[in-house]
Amino acid sequence: MASRKILLITGVSSGFGLALAKEALAVGHTVVGTVRSAQARRDFESLSAAAFARVLDVTDFEAIEGVVSEIEATVGPIDVLVNNAGYGHEGVMEESPLSEMRRQFDVNVFGAVAMMKAVLPFMRERRRGHILNMTSMGGHVTMPGIAYYCGSKFALVGISETLGKEVGPFGIAVTAVAPGSFRTDWAGRSMTRTPRSIADYDAIFDPVRKAREEKSGRQLGDPQKAALAMLAAIDADSPPAHLLLGSDALGLVRGKLSSLGDEIRAWETVTVSTDG
Ligand code: NAP
């Protein structure tokens, strides 16, 4: 394997975070994982002598810098940050309160940015590091019923790509990892679902909600294989700015790029009519 690294992964209690932590430990990396309970901390640390856990909710913005500094001082230099903690809000936009949008962005966007801001001074000083942000195919394509989620992931994709351009000259890579549908707790215990209230949306949205509930646990993607793919990106000399995971993500994002290209061409005359 390539060099042994220290990974800081947010949200290692289940899903991608736990799968990546296990695969990283198996190849000799050290993993510091964040969890949200004392029990989850004990469970994670029982995996290996190289598994360290810290209790941290990523929306506890005041606490983040202190936790990162303490990890740097006691475990060692963080080579790789994986902003994995996140959840999905599901609900028709008109029905979903703004408070749900704030919460979605606090966790999926502000939490991830706060983590990046905390590790960057250390990585910049060392002139090396890699940040992986778990975005989603929902950061490239949209589906009815997850406007807040897609909005949060589009935001994280944009921030991730921009940051990569800012810190690339310091030897720090930033990768936005965009999975399709995977068998994690995302659409199960972790999802927040706004109750239905406007009958007009029954026809468009009820089948979407039902299908997602029924598919939970039976999605196409295997989180362990996603973990191996992320480890390949972590080992790469030139990590990608964007990494799609899963054939569903590939098909949907390619389709989006193609229809976007068609629409740009169809309106090109109007587009260029505004110069001068
Ligand atoms: P998961 O099994 O539900 O895991 C989510 C993890 O995030 C859990 O460890 C959870 O901790 C943690 N978390 C949630 N809110 C947090 C907060 N405020 N502070 C700290 N930790 C928090 O689902 P997953 O699919 O592995 O999700 C990981 C990431 O992948 C998310 O960003 C998700 O949006 C993204 N993603 C998932 C899919 C998919 O199909 N599964 C597809 C695309 C992207 P607790 O156990 O304490 O709740």
Side-chain angles (χ1 to χ4, degrees), residues 45 83 170 238:
E45 292 192 332
N83 268 318
F170 308 132
S238 295

Side-chain angles (χ1 to χ4, degrees), residues 11-16 36 56-58 84-86 103 107 134-136 149 153 179-182 184-186 189-190:
V12 293
S13 62
S14 64
F16 288 125
R36 291 199 290 178
L56 178 70
D57 188 302
V58 296
N84 165 73
R103 177 79 191 147
V107 177
M134 289 302 276
T135 62
S136 171
Y149 182 70
K153 295 299 188 182
S181 294
F182 279 73
T184 70
D185 291 348
W186 182 82
R189 70 163 179 109
S190 298

